[in-house]
Amino acid sequence: MSPAMPENLQPCDLVVFVAHPDDAELTSGGLLLVSRNKGWKTAVVEMTRGELGTRGTPEIRARECEAAARVLGLTVRANLGFPDGGVRDSDDARRAVVRTIRALRPRVVVAPPWNDDHHPDHLGTGDLLRKSFYLSGIRKFVSELDPHRPRALVHYMGTRVRRPTFVVDVSSVMEERRAAVACHASQVGPPGPGEPPTRIGHPDFLSAVDARLKHYGWMIGVPYGEPFTMDTPFPVTDLVGLLEIDPWRRR
Ligand SMILES: [Zn+2]
């Protein structure tokens, strides 16, 4: 299967690839907001429309994505239309992701974990991005588009905990982050009459998300933090300048 390319792609600085319509807000919403606030152009690309979701429909979820994109201040939000439950590495999938990266020309790509999560689509997307990230810089692969090699591939933290490579201070954007998550009411809102219980529809889910961000924030001495991993060393030219956060001093 070769999904159609979205038409609204334009250069962005930071691109978060995810499997499902609500994944970006739940895992990287703070990073997207603080990056936007620094003046960077941000994008979210979903692999699927989430049609296997226990609750909601692809149409409802697309509207929720539009609303959340406004809260996050995204420059681009796109959906590659892969089948929900079937995101995995293949030649066609690599070509679709490489085309997307080359159209967006990001400095930084964020992807799901490829080895630590409960959901096969998250793992599939993470694995596909690892392969496509490299291929995007290969001139003779999809040779009709100019190659592009982003500076870094970063993985957000999945549901199986790994040691983070770095934690982003998202304390200043928690209100907007929560508002962006709340846009996905068909998923995180209370179940309607007759709807079955779900993991992320559980009344404790949103407070668990906050608690997790609190946990990682405390590790770096700020109220809330989003954890990320990298499989390569973090490149540094100015170690002193990089460490701008004075921990455990509420500002
Ligand atoms: Zn998901």
Side-chain angles (χ1 to χ4, degrees):
M1 195 211 67
S2 192
M5 278 293 291
E7 289 166 3
N8 61 339
L9 304 182
Q10 56 169 292
C12 286
D13 302 293
L14 171 78
V15 178
V16 178
F17 280 85
V18 293
H20 305 118
D22 52 354
D23 292 352
E25 286 78 0
L26 285 166
T27 62
S28 311
L31 171 67
L32 286 161
L33 282 158
V34 295
S35 302
R36 190 279 313 264
N37 289 350
K38 288 275 185 190
W40 301 116
K41 289 186 175 177
T42 57
V44 169
V45 177
E46 295 115 28
M47 302 303 291
T48 80
R49 301 184 195 286
E51 66 270 18
L52 286 190
T54 304
R55 300 164 56 199
T57 64
E59 294 72 28
I60 290 170
R61 301 192 71 177
R63 286 199 294 276
E64 293 173 343
C65 280
E66 280 174 32
R70 284 194 290 275
V71 175
L72 294 174
L74 301 179
T75 300
V76 170
R77 181 157 208 155
N79 193 298
L80 296 189
F82 281 67
D84 195 5
V87 183
R88 58 178 68 93
D89 183 31
S90 71
D91 288 342
D92 277 351
R94 290 180 185 190
R95 277 190 282 273
V97 171
V98 165
R99 284 194 176 96
T100 305
I101 292 174
R102 288 179 180 177
L104 292 169
R105 310 196 76 71
R107 287 204 207 191
V108 179
V109 172
V110 180
W114 54 273
N115 56 353
D116 285 304
D117 198 87
H118 69 291
H119 199 299
D121 279 349
H122 300 171
L123 298 171
T125 303
D127 182 45
L128 178 55
L129 260 295
R130 286 174 86 210
K131 276 55 182 270
S132 307
F133 181 84
Y134 177 74
L135 288 171
S136 179
I138 302 293
R139 184 167 299 276
K140 291 183 179 173
F141 186 83
V142 191
S143 58
E144 70 272 20
L145 294 173
D146 288 340
H148 177 70
R149 197 179 294 286
R151 295 184 185 178
L153 175 62
V154 170
H155 297 276
Y156 65 70
M157 187 77 76
T159 48
R160 309 283 183 261
V161 170
R162 294 174 78 190
R163 175 186 287 271
T165 308
F166 63 91
V167 174
V168 176
D169 179 4
V170 300
S171 313
S172 64
V173 296
M174 279 302 291
E175 214 168 294
E176 293 155 285
R177 191 191 194 281
R178 293 188 190 106
V181 169
C183 291
H184 296 277
S186 74
Q187 307 301 305
V188 299
E195 280 190 326
T198 61
R199 186 178 74 91
I200 72 170
H202 190 280
D204 287 343
F205 177 71
L206 293 176
S207 60
V209 170
D210 270 23
R212 194 179 201 215
L213 299 174
K214 192 107 192 133
H215 170 74
Y216 285 106
W218 180 250
M219 284 186 176
I220 62 164
V222 303
Y224 291 97
E226 264 176 14
F228 296 89
T229 67
M230 287 173 68
D231 294 325
T232 53
F234 198 101
V236 172
T237 56
D238 176 9
L239 182 61
V240 176
L242 183 67
L243 298 171
E244 62 177 327
I245 291 175
D246 193 3
W248 299 293
R249 282 176 200 268
R250 192 183 277 274
R251 288 169 300 272

